[in-house]
Each structure stands twice: as C-alpha cells, then as structure tokens.
Amino acid sequence: MKLIKTVVIATLVSLTFSCEGLKSDLFNVEGYLYHNGEVVSQATVLLDDKINYETVSDSSGYFLIKDVPAGEHHISATKHFEKGNFTEYSGSLDVNNDVFLEFLRLPLAVELGVSNVSSTNDVSLVWTSTDATDFREYKIYRHSSSGLDESTGTLIHVSTTITDTTFLDENTSSTEMDFYRVYVMNEIGRLGGSNIVADSSFTNQTWSSQASGSTASLNGICFTDSYTGWAVGNGGTLLSTENQGESWSPHVTQTTADFMEVCFSDSNHGWIVGAGGTILRTIDAGTTWSSVESGTSANLRSCVFIDNNNGWACGGENSPVLLKTSNGGQDWTALNDFSQITWMVFNDIIFSDSLHGWVIGTGLLTFKTSDGGISWTQEENCLPCPPAVSIAHFDNNFWVVTAEGPYSRLYKSYGGSGFYSSSPVFDSSDEHFNEVFFTDALKGWMVTESGLVLGSYSGGDSWVTKYINNGVPVNSIHFSQPGLGWFVGDAGTIIRYKE
C-alpha cells in the first residue's frame, strides 16, 4: 500500500511540473483601441477568428486576451455604430512573449449617401473617405433588399484611389428598390463597411407649403417633437402647431420687437431672442411666455441651451455680445471677454455637448469653449472678410456659412477647428446663403435669400436645388428627425419636407 501511494504522488508531481511547463508558453495580448483620436469601448477583439480568443474593450478602450500560445496570429478589432456602419482593424501579430499594443487605431468609419439624378433612374453614391494608411480599395455592392453584405450583394464598382468617393450607378432597377453598401479593404481583408442606403427615388418625398396665417418675416423655427413646433418672426410674431404644421396658431407676446430665434431644451422649457436685447421664456410648454431682462439693448440673433438651466444668447451692435444664464433664463450675465472687439457682432452659437461650444460672427469671428462656456478662446479672425452667418454640426463634423451680398461660401471642419485654413467646400457668386443644417454627416440643407432650398448628399461638397419659394427669402431650418423638417422665411413662409 505504501508503494502505491508513492507512485500516485510522483505521478501528481510529474503532472504538475508538466502543466507549468506548458503554461510558460502562453502569453497575454492586451492594449487600447482608438478611433478618431478617442478611445473605443464595446469593440470586439478577436484572435484567429476563435471564440475562445475573443473579448470586448471596456470604457477606457482596454482589452485583454489571456493564454495565447506563441507563434504567428491574426488579430482583428471591430466597432459597429448606430447607423449600421462599422470600422475594423485586421493584421498579423507575432507572439513570443506578453504583447502590449499601446495604440491600436481603427480607421474612420465610412458613411454612405445616395441621391437620384433628375429625370433618370441613375443613382449617385457619395461616401466619406477612410483615413486608413493601409487602404487598398473601396468595393460597392448592390442588392434588392437591405440584407446586404459581400455574400448577398452584387459587386458593381471598385475604386483603388482613397479620395475617389463617388460613383454613378446607371444600371438601376426601374421596378424595385436598390440597396447599396461600401466596403473598405486592405491587403489582408476588410477595414470596415458603410451604412446601407436605399435608392432615394423610391422614397416618398413631399414638400408642403403651409398656411401660417401671418405675413411677417419668419426668422426662426424649432420643434420639440415630430408634431409640436414654434416659429418666430418680425413684429413679435409667435406661432405654434401641434399637428406637424397642418395648422398654425398665433400667440400674443406683448411686444413688437423682431424675434430672431426660438430654442427649446425639452417640451416645456423654451426661449426666444430678438431685437433690442429681447428675451422671452416659457416653462409650461408655451402656454405662457414671460419677458426677462437681458441687460443689453443689442440685437440678439441666436440662442442655445444644453439643459433646462444653462444657456447662451449672442448678438451685438458695434461689438459682439454673449450672454450666459445658469437658472433657466431668469437672469443673464454678459461675458466681458469680447469688449475689446469693435465693429463686429455674433450671428450664431451652437454646443455639440455640455462642454464644447462655438460662437461665430462678422469678420469670420470664431470663439470656442471646451469647459462648458466658462472660458472662450478665439479660434480665427479675418478682416476684411464676409460675415459668418450660420454654423451647424453633426457628431464631429462642422459647417460654417459665410455670406455677403450675392457671394456665399460653405466651409467644413472635422473637429471644429481651422474652418478657414482651407478652401471652401462649396461657394456661390449669385446666392446669399442664410442658414445651414445637417441631419447626418452626409445629408444637409441650406436656404437662400432668393428663396431656394438646397440639399446635399455629400457632406456639403455638392448641392442641388430641392425647392423654389418663388423668390421669397427662406431664413431658417429645423428637422425634428431625419426625413422630417421645416423651413421658414419672409411673407409668413412655412414649408414642410417629409419622407
């Protein structure tokens, strides 16, 4: 019996040493994922397409795969976005010890837009460019349903030039809807795929001129949902609708001041700004509006609120004015950072989140904040230059319109800096652009003094006329959701666009 016990113990010791020997040949692969300069969470990281070597990056972009054997491996990282597009890293990895990938960068996700060529069935496709350093080609696939991938779709175009991001499909079906997707490839495999888009000729697009009941020039519009909206204009004009603009009702405002813009932070809290420092506020969904002291007599042209308490209004006369409130617009304080600037005014202000904001004006005057409006830094200034009249953003894409007389330009920035350091993406010598608005990174709208509504499916690089308002100026734009928007202008103009 003692002999048997001894043998068993020896066997266990032998097995223990054998397992430890195998363990020493297994390593960790870890690192951080980045996309567009920011950490990437909830991305899938995979080795050799094996589920036991799969993990998901955490909120800091960190991932860890344990017990990886020595040798050559294939690593991939994939991040899917809400629009249906995705970005992917694919490469080889030599593992001979623990591997730490400090900066594993995913290329920019590509976004695809589509429009139809007038009077034909041709489909124009435009997509944003990748920034992948190992780019090989774009592949465009078409399919008769939205279940589109490389296996179900038909390959219709290949481009090997990274800046070649347009394609005209002249072989579309005239009887059924076509769907499209772009894939980005390197020498190893995919670098990502775009969102899936449909042939827009089969989208039911309607334009409706709505009866506002007013002849005043309407300068601003805002909807709190798909049905409830507000329009403001000259002479203290305030209109509201609860049925997508099928009917509009006037409100008494106790002032004849020209209103320039209306903004809401939710369905109950709203503000109006206008001439002579006028500010009105509501906290009951517009049932009542009260006038508040702004502390300025300058014309206020734009307002924005990041929540029910914190907001800004901008404008000016001979110098720019920027006002701040932290109690829902009951009290306003003028920021004095701009008192040394003369003969310039602010025209528009936006915030992309609670910390990052931009205010623009004449002389291409641009200020930016990264701390929630506590401090503002001058980005750019140009004299003599045409006024910057409107700024828009979607995600990290920004657009600025400059206009003086019949000369207008559209500038674009990724990240909100250096708007005017490069040439405009679009310009006109016979149109005065009044405002710009984008519903995604590719689809945008502009309105003009001559009454045109322009649409873009290319991120602002090209524009087509979508609506003609018979020479009556169109001043402002608001979309409550993609595919549902309103445009307001002079002579009580209200136009609804609906897909």
Side-chain angles (χ1 to χ4, degrees):
M1 294 294 293
K2 290 182 180 179
L3 178 61
I4 294 175
K5 289 182 180 180
T6 303
V7 171
V8 171
I9 293 171
T11 303
L12 289 174
V13 171
S14 175
L15 287 174
T16 301
F17 277 101
S18 175
C19 289
E20 288 179 352
L22 290 173
K23 190 77 173 179
S24 65
D25 293 329
L26 300 178
F27 304 101
N28 292 338
V29 175
E30 61 184 320
Y32 289 89
L33 294 177
Y34 291 85
H35 172 260
N36 191 31
E38 298 181 353
V39 297
V40 180
S41 62
Q42 297 301 306
T44 301
V45 184
L46 190 63
L47 282 183
D48 302 328
D49 295 324
K50 295 181 179 178
I51 192 169
N52 55 318
Y53 294 134
E54 179 178 338
T55 188
V56 176
S57 60
D58 64 16
S59 59
S60 68
Y62 176 76
F63 67 90
L64 170 64
I65 300 176
K66 297 181 178 180
D67 298 336
V68 178
E72 191 77 17
H73 296 273
H74 175 266
I75 183 171
S76 65
T78 306
K79 171 65 177 180
H80 290 268
F81 298 94
E82 292 182 357
K83 294 180 182 179
N85 55 338
F86 67 93
T87 179
E88 191 168 71
Y89 171 86
S90 182
S92 58
L93 186 67
D94 190 18
V95 177
N96 292 308
N97 46 40
D98 289 340
V99 177
F100 180 66
L101 302 170
E102 184 176 4
F103 191 91
L104 188 58
R105 178 180 172 276
L106 299 178
L108 284 178
V110 169
E111 292 188 23
L112 177 62
V114 61
S115 64
N116 282 85
V117 180
S118 301
S119 72
T120 74
N121 290 323
D122 297 348
V123 173
S124 177
L125 299 171
V126 182
W127 59 95
T128 57
S129 176
T130 182
D131 63 348
T133 57
D134 55 345
F135 166 84
R136 186 184 73 184
E137 62 191 11
Y138 298 111
K139 288 185 174 182
I140 301 179
Y141 289 83
R142 182 181 63 211
H143 192 45
S144 58
S145 78
S146 58
L148 171 59
D149 58 28
E150 294 164 289
S151 61
T152 61
T154 301
L155 179 63
I156 61 172
H157 180 68
V158 175
S159 171
T160 57
T161 303
I162 196 170
T163 56
D164 181 10
T165 57
T166 63
F167 175 68
L168 182 65
D169 186 8
E170 300 176 309
N171 298 306
T172 60
S173 171
S174 59
T175 58
E176 61 183 10
M177 183 180 292
D178 289 312
F179 293 82
Y180 299 88
R181 191 172 206 176
V182 176
Y183 285 96
V184 187
M185 313 296 293
N186 65 6
E187 294 294 337
I188 298 175
R190 292 188 317 197
L191 292 170
S194 74
N195 50 310
I196 297 173
V197 298
D199 174 358
S200 62
S201 65
F202 290 89
T203 303
N204 183 22
Q205 302 176 352
T206 59
W207 292 86
S208 306
S209 178
Q210 299 186 324
S212 67
S214 173
T215 59
S217 292
L218 300 179
N219 304 313
I221 185 165
C222 180
F223 272 69
T224 58
D225 56 41
S226 296
Y227 292 89
T228 307
W230 300 84
V232 297
N234 289 356
T237 300
L238 175 60
L239 310 173
S240 70
T241 181
E242 295 180 347
N243 55 12
Q244 292 192 348
E246 294 295 335
S247 60
W248 291 85
S249 302
H251 294 256
V252 177
T253 59
Q254 305 297 334
T255 180
T256 58
D258 292 343
F259 294 154
M260 301 308 297
E261 187 165 44
V262 54
C263 59
F264 275 76
S265 60
D266 61 19
S267 59
N268 290 315
H269 297 81
W271 299 264
I272 298 170
V273 298
T278 298
I279 299 180
L280 276 66
R281 69 187 289 257
T282 181
I283 57 174
D284 55 13
T287 302
T288 59
W289 291 84
S290 57
S291 178
V292 297
E293 289 293 328
S294 67
T296 182
S297 60
N299 294 332
L300 299 176
R301 295 172 174 83
S302 182
C303 60
V304 63
F305 274 72
I306 59 175
D307 54 38
N308 293 339
N309 293 313
N310 296 286
W312 291 262
C314 71
E317 287 303 308
N318 295 324
S319 62
V321 171
L322 181 60
L323 307 180
K324 170 75 168 69
T325 180
S326 56
N327 60 4
Q330 298 179 66
D331 302 290
W332 294 83
T333 302
L335 302 182
N336 296 321
D337 307 64
F338 317 105
S339 57
Q340 76 282 5
I341 303 173
T342 58
W343 302 108
M344 297 185 189
V345 298
F346 288 140
N347 290 320
D348 200 7
I349 184 171
I350 63 167
F351 270 73
S352 62
D353 54 37
S354 62
L355 295 176
H356 299 88
W358 291 258
V359 59
I360 62 168
T362 54
L364 301 187
L365 192 65
T366 304
F367 281 81
K368 178 181 178 180
T369 180
S370 300
D371 55 14
I374 297 174
S375 61
W376 294 80
T377 303
Q378 186 167 347
E379 288 283 292
E380 291 164 284
N381 187 19
C382 173
L383 282 174
C385 288
V389 297
S390 177
I391 182 170
H393 85 95
F394 185 87
D395 289 341
N396 217 22
N397 299 280
F398 294 80
W399 297 264
V400 168
V401 163
T402 69
E404 189 168 43
Y407 302 100
S408 298
R409 292 178 174 179
L410 177 69
Y411 294 88
K412 184 177 179 179
S413 165
Y414 194 83
S417 297
F419 288 101
Y420 318 114
S421 59
S422 58
S423 299
V425 294
F426 185 75
D427 58 20
S428 173
S429 60
D430 55 9
E431 289 291 346
H432 183 103
F433 302 154
N434 285 331
E435 190 166 291
V436 62
F437 193 102
F438 273 77
T439 56
D440 60 37
L442 292 170
K443 193 169 185 179
W445 304 88
M446 281 198 298
V447 292
T448 77
E449 196 69 18
S450 67
L452 300 182
V453 177
L454 307 177
S456 174
Y457 297 89
S458 60
D461 293 343
S462 61
W463 296 80
V464 294
T465 300
K466 304 295 289 184
Y467 188 89
I468 300 175
N469 197 37
N470 299 320
V472 178
V474 183
N475 301 321
S476 189
I477 312 163
H478 184 83
F479 274 71
S480 62
Q481 63 188 50
L484 182 60
W486 289 262
F487 306 81
V488 297
D490 288 5
T493 294
I494 302 181
I495 307 159
R496 184 184 68 188
Y497 169 83
K498 190 173 185 179
E499 295 179 358

